[in-house]
Amino acid sequence: MLYLIDGYNILFRFFHSQKDIQTQRDLIIKLLQDKAKKFHLKMTLIFDAHKQPEILATHTYDKHLKVIFTPKDQTADEYILEQIFLSKTPTQITLITSDNSLAFQAKHMGAKTQTVDEFIDWLSEKETKTEIKKNLEKDEFVDTKHDIQRLLKIFEKKLEDDNF
């Protein structure tokens, strides 16, 4: 599954502070890199850069997270829809956005969608399940004296029944 993430949509959902936009982007990128790596997810985070003078989009690659700044004269929404349209398997794409219009268009092309809040809740749930699993793996199962006595009686009864 590939997760296409509407960059500024998720960024503005998290931050309402006076931090500069670059700091906010860096924090979101770091957060998503950590989650993508931890859960072995394939994510692409797309930011609008269509008002920049560069002709080509800029890319930052990580094993699990790709960061895209769209090229001149292309919005993040346009880039996202283009990627879904060009995909041979749009059903294997989940778009993360709270932009209803963009989500509708993506669904129409066969992609799955989640709101930013649903995605964050899903990541949090995944985090919790992972922590529970780790804790369960650490704990060794120990039979109580009562359990051992109960099992011993069952085996003795089974032996008696088999001998007759």
Side-chain angles (χ1 to χ4, degrees):
M1 180 68 63
L2 169 63
Y3 295 90
L4 294 179
I5 304 171
D6 188 343
Y8 286 118
N9 200 262
I10 196 168
L11 187 136
F12 294 133
R13 175 64 182 92
F14 272 105
F15 295 103
H16 303 287
S17 68
Q18 298 302 320
K19 291 182 182 180
D20 68 274
I21 200 76
Q22 183 59 48
T23 301
Q24 293 177 33
R25 270 196 310 256
D26 291 344
L27 290 170
I28 278 294
I29 290 168
K30 176 70 173 122
L31 171 81
L32 291 175
Q33 277 177 328
D34 292 346
K35 298 299 181 191
K37 182 179 179 182
K38 184 173 189 173
F39 302 123
H40 306 285
L41 302 172
K42 186 176 175 185
M43 297 180 186
T44 301
L45 181 62
I46 302 105
F47 290 104
D48 283 308
H50 64 278
K51 294 181 181 176
Q52 300 300 317
E54 294 89 21
I55 293 174
L56 298 175
T58 56
H59 304 72
T60 304
Y61 295 95
D62 181 84
K63 184 176 180 181
H64 298 283
L65 177 69
K66 183 192 299 187
V67 180
I68 305 286
F69 289 89
T70 61
K72 183 179 179 182
D73 299 326
Q74 185 181 38
T75 66
D77 291 5
E78 292 166 343
Y79 181 90
I80 289 166
L81 293 173
E82 178 181 274
Q83 294 305 301
I84 296 169
F85 178 77
L86 294 174
S87 173
K88 292 179 181 175
T89 55
T91 58
Q92 294 300 307
I93 296 173
T94 299
L95 171 60
I96 309 305
T97 186
S98 293
D99 179 331
N100 291 333
S101 175
L102 179 60
F104 177 80
Q105 292 175 73
K107 282 181 191 175
H108 185 68
M109 288 190 271
K112 296 173 181 68
T113 63
Q114 283 185 323
T115 65
V116 170
D117 289 335
E118 289 169 341
F119 182 65
I120 298 307
D121 289 346
W122 177 74
L123 284 177
S124 297
E125 185 178 308
K126 222 168 162 44
E127 182 86 35
T128 301
K129 284 181 181 179
T130 301
E131 291 305 314
I132 290 170
K133 187 176 177 183
K134 277 184 192 176
N135 289 335
L136 287 174
E137 288 171 356
K138 283 183 200 174
D139 295 338
E140 292 181 24
F141 183 77
V142 179
D143 284 316
T144 64
K145 188 173 182 176
H146 174 72
D147 289 332
I148 294 170
Q149 289 298 322
R150 182 180 59 80
L151 292 171
L152 186 59
K153 285 181 184 177
I154 291 170
F155 290 128
E156 286 174 348
K157 179 154 179 34
K158 178 72 174 155
L159 273 173
E160 285 177 17
D161 292 346
D162 288 344
N163 287 334
F164 290 110

